[in-house]
Amino acid sequence: GVSVAATAGGTASKKSKKKKSKGGGGDSGSNTPNRIVAPADVVSPHTGPNAVVATPSSARSLEVATYTHYLGTTIPAEAAAEVAAAAASSAGNNGKKKGRKKADDEDIDEVVLDDFTDLSPYLERGLTSDRAALRIVLERYNVAGVRDHVGRLQQLFDGLVPSVTTLAEGAEEEQQPVDAEAEKEETPTSSCISAGAEGDDEKKVEEESNETDSGTNDAAVEKKENGGKEMSKEEKSKQILALQTKMPNYPLDSSVALDGANTADFFYLACGEEDDLDALRGKQRKVSVAKANVMRAGSSATKSDVSTVDEAEAKSAAEAEAGRKAATRMIELEARCRVSCKIKFGGFHPPPANRRIYGDLAYLEVTLPGASEDTVHVTAVPSGFYVNKTSIAPEGYGEPYVFDPRPAENACYSHELLDCLLQFSKTLRSVWADALNAARERAELTVSMATNESPVQSLYRVATRNDFSIKPSPNTLQQIDALMIRPSWLVPKGTSNTTSSSTHGVVGGRHEYNQARADEDLASTFGVDIRGGAVRDFNEELQSARELPRGTLQERTDRAKLVHKVLVEFGEAAMVGAKAIIDGLIVPMNPNEPTRSHVYFHNNIFFSRAVDAGVDTFKISQGDRAARKAASRDANCMGMLHRADIKGLHNLATVLVDYLGTRIVCQSVVPGILQGEKTHTLLYGSVEATQPLSWDENMHKLLEESLGRGFMIATRPVPTLPLSDDRMALIEKLRAASLENLSAMGIPLAGLYQETNKKETKPLTELCAPLEAKGIRGSDQRNYLLDLSRLTPRDANWVPESEGGTGRWEALASSAKGGRAKMFIPDSLDDDEHAMAILRHELVSSLTRKLMSKYLLAKKEEENQKEATDKKENSKKKEEKEEVDGEDEEYLASLRLNPNVFLPNIKSLQDIDEEAYKQIKKDEERVREAAAYLWDDVLPGLTKEIRENSGQILPVDGETLCEVLHQRGINCRYLGRLATLALEEEEKDRKAEADYTAGKIMSVPRRQMPFSWLELLECEMVARAAKHVLNSYLAENGGYGAAQPAQIIACFFSAVLSTGEERAADTQLRTEKSERVTSDSDLSPSFTYGHVVPSFSRAEIWGDIEREVGRRFRYVLTLYNTPQTTGKNNSSGGGEDAKPRTLYTPLLRRLCQRNGVRLVAKSYEIGGKCLCSKGNSSYPIASSDIAGVLPLVKHAAAAPGSEGFLPASFDSHSGPPSLHILLPDAKSMFDTAYAAWNQKALPQALDLFQESSNMYQRVVDTPLHSSIAKCLRMSAVILFQAGETDIAAANAARSLAIAVQLGGFDHPEAVNCHSTLAHILLNSNETGEGIKHLRAATYLTELMAGRNHTDLGSNYHKLGTMYHELGSPVDGLRFYQEASSRENADRIVSGMIAKSTALALANVGHFKIALDSEKRAYNMYRSTLGENHELTKSSAQNMSHFTKIAVEQGTRIAKEEKKRKEEQSANAMANEIVADELAAEAAKASKKKKNKSKKSKGKK
């Protein structure tokens, strides 16, 4: 199109058909008079010799109208009419003509061509005098245009070479449908970022699925065609054979189990690509079950079966090999697309004043490819680029080059810099031609791979691309990060054949030399758009977007879209600004104050550290710990206000950034708050510690209507001067000391502190908000609510009993025995951070529903009794009903809670107002009831749910664990209490088992407490406590550890993930056996030069962690750092055969996620001895294993249910986490769809889910959102239930790809998607793909939750059943045995596994062992269900049957053995007789020989 030609700097004649580069020049042109420049004036071999530079029509107002501007070109007027007539009559002309042909002396209207206009008619006719080319106007360059042009060209050289190489495609090429596919993006995820849930696309998706789903077996299709009739035996055997060809057979010398501790092969196992892993390891490819059966059958197998199996085996192997070759070829092509040509602004840039008047815009230095790497100096002028005469300076000149900007003899002038360089360098021409060919092949290969592979496989190929390539990609880590919203905690390890000197450069790929990257970093404006004019006002944009109309669905959609866009861009700007602050690149607003108190104002965002700001600011809590917690609570409350979307009440955009122990608060700014007190008004609350509370009636009414009703906050009186006398005295004392110091320094003190307001004020002020909240009217006349650190009261369980708390923790501490509990758990709850321990809003809602339901039930019973004794008229009933409604509202209002109870350093109301004092005592009792409800009902209720597995809520990692707790209103500080309840339940199970064995009881409960529940609880406690301990280590020595954190983190992780510390002899023995080429000490000097990195022993680290666990969770660890784990691993049930329960790999994963640490994907020998306190070395994790540390980001507008702080990246711009979408229509439609699905209304549910997905996607403009992934997964489930398995599998695959991109390969939602997709595929006769995804889900579950998770046994049992039923009993038996080795909390399921094992053993003829397995099943059924249950009876019958067969088999074996022994004895006797006879014959022959010899001697 014209835009391509314009950016390329010329046109293409029909003969050459050469495509112009898309990365070139942009708007440029000539400042010459309006004349057609001769072709000799502009020479461009890349774009053709007939390129023309002319002025645009806007610059020709004073020129004689001898030329006409037509079709974006400047041509002679006499030729315009002829050209217009030819264009109008030409067939296939797609140009948009705005005027018709007029008289020759009249102007012809301008026709604008878009990017897709067909130029072939004009190329055929021609527009120049010789009809050879099409003239295109080229606008002139300016300095900014040159900069943009160089940047685009450098992108081309860095690999973004265009794949289309001609403007005028041939007719035969235009008719090929592949052209449309070639226009797709070249990223591997182009197929996985399509929502694919629209109802209009169902037929299309079905057709695509039918085309690509070549594995559908013919027998199933034939059965459908036969009207669902039962298949014959031959047809059934064919179907089973077809399924067997897709199932991998596992050799007997390898295990069928997956190792969840294997982090070296993480990307392979997480995607189920075990075949690629075998190929990488050089192992023989697994044959199918059908092939294994044919090999075992030998000559008895039929020829047709052998032929079918061999064909399927060859096809499968060819497809797998083709996929690997395609991935390898893609890396080779990308390497060819990268042109080694570096462009930078030279040392003589910018041009001096005397050269600027000649038109010089910039001086460039270009390093050309080739062995010599010649440097070319180029001058940029308004009309293009040319090579100048700057040359290498002679010796002694003093500068490297002699400056001469005039055109060189071979200037190679061109409007495009690329054309100029191509004319100058033959080597570059050759390399560029090769890059174009490679780009064309790369585009075709991308389309082919996207067609043949699932969406998640495209992501997998990027992560593992270097493993099969000789020339690895240099930027694998950047490429995988660009595709992921949440960066992975494991990164590809890069190449393995590197030297020690470059170890840090190959983590996830090679770090290449790139001068342009350095220039870009130095020229960074840290998020400020300096070319856009005024600095962006995020607050005004956000509030204006919120105030948009919302009357119609389209208006609500547009409003939600704009709000989401502003919040996303604010989050990105906050990240950039936080990084600049950490790097020290932004000057603080208060540079004379200590660093911890610095605040920053950058890009209209206010940045501050979450630390205790001192006594001047009005606040309730004190201390840095409380300040960090208050910042997090404030972000949570801002998020709740954002989701509530209250009209008239405005809140600020808020983002928290945690990085190496420092928490930075990023907020938009209230208009006028930084310009003095006169530009804003304090309406509610107080800013200064010594000032009284402000109050405004309108603001109070707004808060009562919003916070009071929506968040159950009661309006209560508080002291107008709320701080206690002791607190006020402390403030005055500290102020006086500060004034003395400042006076001694000669600093004027006038107006430094605001005097206490001594006006007469009311002693009490009514508030419907937290005491420290502030209502401010900004200069824009909007009402803002700030410092909203809580919307619910303090948790009375964490208030000391002496101050009105429940005393639950104190009671447990007093009843606890000595030992480790006394050592690590504090005796008192007096802690600064506990002042921020508040109840969750979900708990308040749950308690309100419970009390309201109880009230309505009692009232209904009372009404029923009254109606039974006294019947009234219907009208009377209506009036009474209205009064009842009013009473209900009044009772509901009485359930509101006061958030300002149990606050420290607050003045008591006892001496101020007796009624208010009585009311606050009632409020405190209400809060104690809420805390008791949490302690007595909610926590035991969750423990019971986990035990009974009601709703299948057992989490798979710490993130889902926190989500389960938060949904029930439980704070994470109760992890210790839940672990204590879990220990009690496990002890009950052990006691019940012992009593049953001893005969004291007749039965045991069916379900037990899952072991993984306690394991996950303790793992999460250790990970959370370790984060705070590590932050304290990094903050030591003035934060020097945070500047060089690698060694501290490596030592810390090594200590946490070990059972003890190595002795010197152990270290020496290990290093002698180690095959590692590079030791950690080879890299440490560059990190510790001039300073010694602090080291800590394992005992010190674990002591600090256990004290933090005791303080934060009031719990003593039982699975970590105990005498059992430091000697032998702690066990699940005691005894020598007990299995380990300490989760090391899940703990490593959570440590990385909670601290933002990224590790190289390799095997780590965790769970053994460590080295962490000697020199600069550490083991098993070395500093060179740490690929980086990521910031943890918490967005106040994040979607509910997600973890608070999520790892992000300062470098990649892949996008923000899923934010909450202010479109209630989409959420309502999703809920309605879910209700319809529960009612089995599948068509309605499917339509609603798809419409909900469309609504979400219209807001976010991308399918990468958690709500869209949920809609896709539910659509897949519904389609599967409706029998549309192909479309269901396609939607499930897209949902899996989105889940992986949002959360990583090991995200819990990805596990759910793997399981859903596996279920769909296995029931669609796609056994191979289904097994792959089921095994991926199994591996990820063990990686995240350990080997004792209940889903693992179920998954292995499912695999065993599949193999057993499809004619592979040996493989089925191996899966059954693995399932039986896993812990199972359901005794019935354990019995089913044992029963399946018995059947598999019987199938292979081992009846005696099958009998033992059946006995185990029988004992489980009998102990749980009783003797008379059907399962128990069936098991007893099987036992009898197996016993009979086993006896018969034993008798037969005994007879056969006896017969064999008799035969052996007879054979031995026969052999002895034969031997005797042979010996006799030999003796006789020997005797004859002797006699003959004697006779011969006698004759002689």
Side-chain angles (χ1 to χ4, degrees), residues 1071-1343:
T1071 53
E1072 289 175 355
K1073 293 181 178 179
S1074 176
E1075 297 178 357
R1076 185 175 178 180
V1077 177
T1078 305
S1079 64
D1080 202 44
S1081 59
D1082 294 336
L1083 298 164
S1084 56
S1086 62
F1087 291 91
T1088 60
Y1089 181 76
H1091 194 279
V1092 178
V1093 175
S1095 62
F1096 306 91
S1097 67
R1098 183 186 181 278
E1100 292 174 333
I1101 292 173
W1102 266 109
D1104 292 340
I1105 290 176
E1106 291 195 276
R1107 277 187 288 274
E1108 186 68 16
V1109 169
R1111 183 190 71 84
R1112 188 172 293 275
F1113 305 105
R1114 304 191 69 80
Y1115 179 77
V1116 177
L1117 298 173
T1118 62
L1119 303 181
Y1120 294 90
N1121 200 41
T1122 62
Q1124 293 83 2
T1125 57
T1126 54
K1128 289 185 176 181
N1129 280 329
N1130 193 13
S1131 58
S1132 57
E1136 296 180 358
D1137 297 333
K1139 300 178 179 62
R1141 296 189 61 183
T1142 308
L1143 303 182
Y1144 288 111
T1145 304
L1147 178 58
L1148 173 63
R1149 175 178 175 270
R1150 286 301 286 168
L1151 283 174
C1152 291
Q1153 291 179 338
R1154 298 292 302 176
N1155 294 279
V1157 177
R1158 311 186 79 181
L1159 294 178
V1160 178
K1162 54 175 284 189
S1163 295
Y1164 296 100
E1165 298 179 1
I1166 54 180
K1169 300 291 185 180
C1170 74
L1171 176 65
C1172 60
S1173 60
K1174 294 181 181 180
N1176 296 317
S1177 298
S1178 59
Y1179 174 82
I1181 297 177
S1183 61
S1184 57
D1185 296 327
I1186 299 175
V1189 181
L1190 299 171
L1192 301 173
V1193 180
K1194 182 175 186 176
H1195 206 302
S1202 60
E1203 196 170 15
F1205 286 90
L1206 297 175
S1209 177
F1210 282 135
D1211 300 323
S1212 66
H1213 303 282
S1214 55
S1218 297
L1219 302 184
H1220 176 73
I1221 297 176
L1222 288 182
L1223 187 62
D1225 305 76
K1227 180 65 168 62
S1228 175
M1229 193 160 294
F1230 183 89
D1231 295 338
T1232 305
Y1234 209 92
W1237 176 63
N1238 287 329
Q1239 296 173 1
K1240 306 301 180 183
L1242 300 185
Q1244 295 85 344
L1246 180 61
D1247 292 340
L1248 290 171
F1249 274 126
Q1250 291 177 343
E1251 184 58 31
S1252 177
S1253 174
N1254 292 338
M1255 285 185 177
Y1256 282 124
Q1257 195 161 345
R1258 281 196 291 269
V1259 172
V1260 299
D1261 287 333
T1262 173
L1264 296 182
H1265 194 276
S1266 57
S1267 299
I1268 298 176
K1270 292 177 182 177
C1271 291
L1272 280 174
R1273 189 158 65 89
M1274 291 306 303
S1275 299
V1277 172
I1278 294 174
L1279 287 166
F1280 173 73
Q1281 293 176 350
E1284 299 290 343
T1285 56
D1286 293 340
I1287 311 177
N1291 275 359
R1294 294 187 181 96
S1295 175
L1296 171 61
I1298 294 175
V1300 169
Q1301 287 187 273
L1302 288 175
F1305 289 96
D1306 57 342
H1307 191 264
E1309 187 63 25
V1311 178
N1312 294 335
C1313 291
H1314 273 297
S1315 301
T1316 301
L1317 183 56
H1319 181 72
I1320 294 173
L1321 292 171
L1322 291 176
N1323 287 273
S1324 305
N1325 295 330
E1326 290 294 331
T1327 53
E1329 289 295 313
I1331 290 172
K1332 182 176 75 172
H1333 287 285
L1334 185 58
R1335 286 180 66 81
T1338 303
Y1339 166 76
L1340 292 174
T1341 301
E1342 185 168 346
L1343 173 78

Side-chain angles (χ1 to χ4, degrees), residues 154-404:
Q154 189 62 62
Q155 290 179 352
L156 289 180
F157 287 157
D158 289 342
L160 297 180
V161 182
S163 58
V164 181
T165 57
T166 177
L167 281 175
E169 300 287 350
E172 68 282 355
E173 295 175 350
E174 293 176 355
Q175 294 176 358
Q176 294 178 358
V178 73
D179 289 346
E181 296 291 337
E183 294 178 358
K184 293 183 178 180
E185 294 184 3
E186 296 181 3
T187 59
T189 58
S190 60
S191 61
C192 70
I193 59 174
S194 174
E198 294 83 351
D200 297 337
D201 293 341
E202 289 184 11
K203 185 176 180 181
K204 177 182 177 182
V205 173
E206 183 177 6
E207 292 173 355
E208 292 176 354
S209 301
N210 291 336
E211 291 174 1
T212 59
D213 191 7
S214 59
T216 305
N217 63 82
D218 298 335
V221 176
E222 187 176 352
K223 180 178 177 181
K224 289 182 180 180
E225 293 175 352
N226 292 335
K229 296 180 181 179
E230 186 175 354
M231 292 182 294
S232 64
K233 185 176 181 180
E234 182 180 356
E235 292 173 340
K236 189 174 182 180
S237 64
K238 287 184 179 180
Q239 183 185 22
I240 292 176
L241 182 64
L243 296 176
Q244 287 177 345
T245 57
K246 305 173 186 177
M247 298 170 59
N249 178 73
Y250 296 90
L252 296 177
D253 59 349
S254 64
S255 175
V256 297
L258 291 161
D259 183 10
N262 183 1
T263 54
D265 305 322
F266 167 77
F267 295 102
Y268 293 92
L269 299 178
C271 299
E273 300 293 342
E274 296 180 64
D275 288 342
D276 285 357
L277 183 60
D278 290 342
L280 180 65
R281 297 286 184 266
K283 296 181 180 179
Q284 187 176 0
R285 184 178 179 274
K286 295 184 182 72
V287 299
S288 65
V289 170
K291 181 67 175 177
N293 291 341
V294 168
M295 292 169 64
R296 281 193 290 267
S299 60
S300 61
T302 62
K303 292 184 178 181
S304 61
D305 289 350
V306 172
S307 176
T308 302
V309 169
D310 289 343
E311 289 179 2
E313 198 74 15
K315 181 180 178 182
S316 177
E319 290 176 351
E321 185 63 24
R324 288 189 287 270
K325 287 184 177 179
T328 304
R329 182 60 177 168
M330 179 65 74
I331 298 177
E332 297 173 356
L333 293 175
E334 289 185 352
R336 288 171 54 191
C337 288
R338 289 190 292 271
V339 179
S340 179
C341 184
K342 305 301 180 183
I343 308 173
K344 64 179 181 179
F345 286 87
F348 298 110
H349 180 80
N354 66 315
R355 290 301 306 176
R356 285 200 297 269
I357 61 177
Y358 285 95
D360 291 2
L361 300 177
Y363 301 129
L364 308 175
E365 291 182 12
V366 182
T367 304
L368 297 173
S372 59
E373 294 187 350
D374 296 333
T375 300
V376 179
H377 297 266
V378 177
T379 299
V381 294
S383 59
F385 302 84
Y386 62 83
V387 178
N388 62 36
K389 291 184 177 181
T390 301
S391 59
I392 299 176
E395 294 184 5
Y397 185 75
E399 292 184 1
Y401 298 103
V402 177
F403 176 63
D404 188 351

